[in-house]
Amino acid sequence: MKKTKHSGKDGNVIRFPNLNQRLLERGQEFLQRENYHEAIPLFQEAVELAPSNSDGYIGLILAYYGAGYHEEAVELAKVMLHEGMGNYFDIMDLYIKLLFQSRRYSEIVTLIEGLLEERTIPSERLEHYYSILDISRQQLEQEDEEERNDSGIFEETKTELQLQEYTDPQ
């Protein structure tokens, strides 16, 4: 008879049947009630129990984003894409939405242009990706325009200040 070593803190613990499913359900309940901070540990535990189950990761991404941890949500979606978890284009859509919400338009443009170059986007999603690409490009142009306007206002203010410095106090 072969002995097995139990490593970690849970080596001698027998988990309840369907614990992972229960954690996911409770996490979803908290998400629906917008209790994001309570949902995070549930989804984290679900991910630890079943690292190959994409539902736990998606729930964790949504909880992170709802709780204001936008960077963590974006990074976790990126990990899912690199690890090939879940449906690639469903995760890609979620990732792009997170980037869009975070106003990271240049990353969206680069990402979608790369997907278009590789010709990997399914035909039924092409129109959707082209529209996101157009909107992101428009947002980038708008940001550039606002930046130019802001720098122009700064230059005008600077010029006014210089004129005041040269006036004769008498």
Side-chain angles (χ1 to χ4, degrees):
M1 191 167 178
K2 187 177 179 181
K3 288 187 177 182
T4 58
K5 278 189 168 181
H6 293 289
S7 61
K9 65 179 181 182
D10 296 330
N12 295 330
V13 175
I14 298 174
R15 299 200 183 271
F16 289 109
N18 299 321
L19 176 61
N20 193 49
Q21 187 60 35
R22 184 68 185 130
L23 288 168
L24 293 174
E25 289 170 2
R26 289 287 296 153
Q28 286 294 333
E29 290 172 14
F30 281 122
L31 280 181
Q32 289 173 352
R33 288 188 266 156
E34 298 180 6
N35 292 336
Y36 304 113
H37 292 284
E38 288 87 1
I40 290 172
L42 295 171
F43 285 119
Q44 286 174 331
E45 189 173 347
V47 165
E48 287 176 23
L49 288 175
S52 61
N53 186 346
S54 63
D55 293 339
Y57 284 94
I58 291 171
L60 187 55
I61 288 169
L62 297 174
Y64 277 155
Y65 194 82
Y69 304 123
H70 299 177
E71 267 314 301
E72 288 84 350
V74 170
E75 288 305 312
L76 194 53
K78 190 185 295 186
V79 166
M80 287 186 74
L81 286 170
H82 289 291
E83 297 292 323
M85 299 177 71
N87 179 298
Y88 181 78
F89 282 100
D90 289 343
I91 305 303
M92 180 63 71
D93 286 345
L94 177 61
Y95 180 59
I96 289 172
K97 287 175 187 175
L98 292 169
L99 290 175
F100 197 86
Q101 292 290 328
S102 301
R103 299 174 186 252
R104 293 162 66 171
Y105 305 115
S106 61
E107 290 180 50
I108 296 170
V109 169
T110 304
L111 181 65
I112 294 177
E113 285 175 346
L115 290 172
L116 290 170
E117 266 183 33
E118 294 173 3
R119 300 183 188 271
T120 57
I121 301 173
S123 58
E124 66 272 5
R125 294 186 187 223
L126 270 174
E127 186 177 332
H128 172 68
Y129 279 89
Y130 275 119
S131 65
I132 292 172
L133 181 61
D134 289 340
I135 292 169
S136 297
R137 285 178 176 160
Q138 289 171 5
Q139 291 296 327
L140 279 174
E141 288 174 13
Q142 186 177 355
E143 284 179 355
D144 289 345
E145 182 68 30
E146 288 173 2
E147 191 174 299
R148 282 192 295 270
N149 288 342
D150 288 346
S151 66
I153 291 171
F154 178 71
E155 291 299 321
E156 289 174 19
T157 306
K158 189 176 176 182
T159 305
E160 288 175 18
L161 291 175
Q162 289 174 347
L163 290 176
Q164 290 175 353
E165 290 175 6
Y166 291 109
T167 54
D168 188 10
Q170 296 178 356

